[in-house]
Amino acid sequence: MPNHKKTVCVFDFDGTLVDSMDSFIVLAAEVMRDIYQLPVSQGSEAYVKTSGIPFREQLEIIFPGDCRNPLACQRFESIKKASYLEKEFCEDVGETIGYLQSKKIKVVVSSSNYQELVEEFLKKKKVRLDLVLGWRPNFSKGRDHFRHVQKVLSVTPQSILFVGDSLKDAERAEECSIDFIAKTGIFSEKEFRDHFPKVRVIRSLSELKSYL
């Protein structure tokens, strides 16, 4: 990662800050089994491979143009929402956010989850961040969110660090010339490095202290 002072740290949400990905994998596989008759093992693999983008977009990659995609998406999101607020933060989240804020580094969430659901979760956990960006029509994680961060916080791409847990997160950072740190979870360090040989990889958020 270039030695440029970072004034903004942008976090992916699910899997990076929130311990939710294991349950999402199970749910997605069950939905794909019930609606497309896809074996659970294949559904789990397909979900992980395409993770980091909204489920509706994942389905279009896995089942291009399938008329059942809206039904599958609706079922997934409905079941997910019913228990989402019971999820917990991943380890070291509070400590890491506190550390960044003590260093006067702005903390931002960039999620493929619905905007209102992310806001509701953070409100319940009583966590205040500088900017919370979720999915809404024509406003997605990646270029849309990064441009919004730059505009609202008056920063350049070089001042932003993005932390995420998926290959899609890394791709979006690279496309927008944003420095990226990968957090292991659904992808291993090897899997990240196979696609992005120079990527920095952490296993827990507290390791960010070494970089910021």
Side-chain angles (χ1 to χ4, degrees):
M1 187 169 64
N3 187 21
H4 189 286
K5 181 176 174 59
K6 303 301 177 186
T7 58
V8 179
C9 189
V10 179
F11 290 97
D12 165 59
F13 204 55
D14 291 295
T16 302
L17 294 185
V18 182
D19 186 13
S20 53
M21 287 305 294
D22 287 345
S23 64
F24 287 178
I25 293 169
V26 172
L27 174 58
E30 291 175 346
V31 168
M32 286 187 270
R33 176 199 62 198
D34 295 345
I35 294 180
Y36 306 93
Q37 290 73 57
L38 188 71
V40 166
S41 60
Q42 293 181 31
S44 298
E45 183 179 354
Y47 180 83
V48 170
K49 185 177 180 180
T50 58
S51 65
I53 59 178
F55 190 58
R56 66 188 62 78
E57 295 178 19
Q58 290 181 260
L59 290 173
E60 284 300 323
I61 293 173
I62 302 166
F63 307 104
D66 196 305
C67 64
R68 296 168 291 184
N69 289 351
L71 172 62
C73 181
Q74 189 278 330
R75 183 177 298 184
F76 176 86
E77 294 295 348
S78 177
I79 296 172
K80 181 185 80 174
K81 184 177 181 180
S83 61
Y84 190 76
L85 297 182
E86 304 309 313
K87 306 293 183 189
E88 297 293 338
F89 277 127
C90 297
E91 186 179 359
D92 297 340
V93 168
E95 172 191 341
T96 302
I97 290 176
Y99 171 81
L100 296 175
Q101 291 174 336
S102 74
K103 295 290 185 178
K104 308 301 181 184
I105 295 173
K106 303 288 187 182
V107 180
V108 176
V109 158
S110 174
S111 176
S112 291
N113 213 330
Y114 289 118
Q115 177 84 31
E116 59 271 20
L117 194 56
V118 176
E119 290 178 346
E120 192 174 356
F121 182 92
L122 291 170
K123 182 178 180 180
K124 181 178 180 180
K125 301 299 182 183
K126 298 180 180 179
V127 173
R128 286 193 174 188
L129 304 180
D130 294 280
L131 205 55
V132 178
L133 306 176
W135 183 90
R136 58 179 186 265
N138 302 311
F139 189 69
S140 301
K141 183 167 61 170
R143 195 170 302 277
D144 294 337
H145 284 188
F146 290 137
R147 284 177 174 171
H148 190 75
V149 169
Q150 292 170 58
K151 180 179 179 180
V152 172
L153 300 181
S154 300
V155 295
T156 64
Q158 293 75 27
S159 300
I160 301 172
L161 174 65
F162 183 37
V163 182
D165 72 324
S166 74
L167 298 178
K168 293 290 186 184
D169 290 337
E171 289 173 7
R172 287 175 169 173
E174 185 173 71
E175 290 168 357
C176 299
S177 300
I178 301 291
D179 288 328
F180 179 75
I181 289 181
K183 179 175 179 279
T184 57
I186 57 173
F187 291 99
S188 67
E189 180 172 350
K190 181 181 184 304
E191 287 172 312
F192 275 114
R193 294 198 189 282
D194 284 346
H195 291 82
F196 304 94
K198 296 181 179 180
V199 70
R200 302 271 184 155
V201 181
I202 59 175
R203 291 170 178 78
S204 65
L205 292 177
S206 60
E207 293 177 51
L208 287 174
K209 295 176 183 179
S210 300
Y211 303 109
L212 295 168

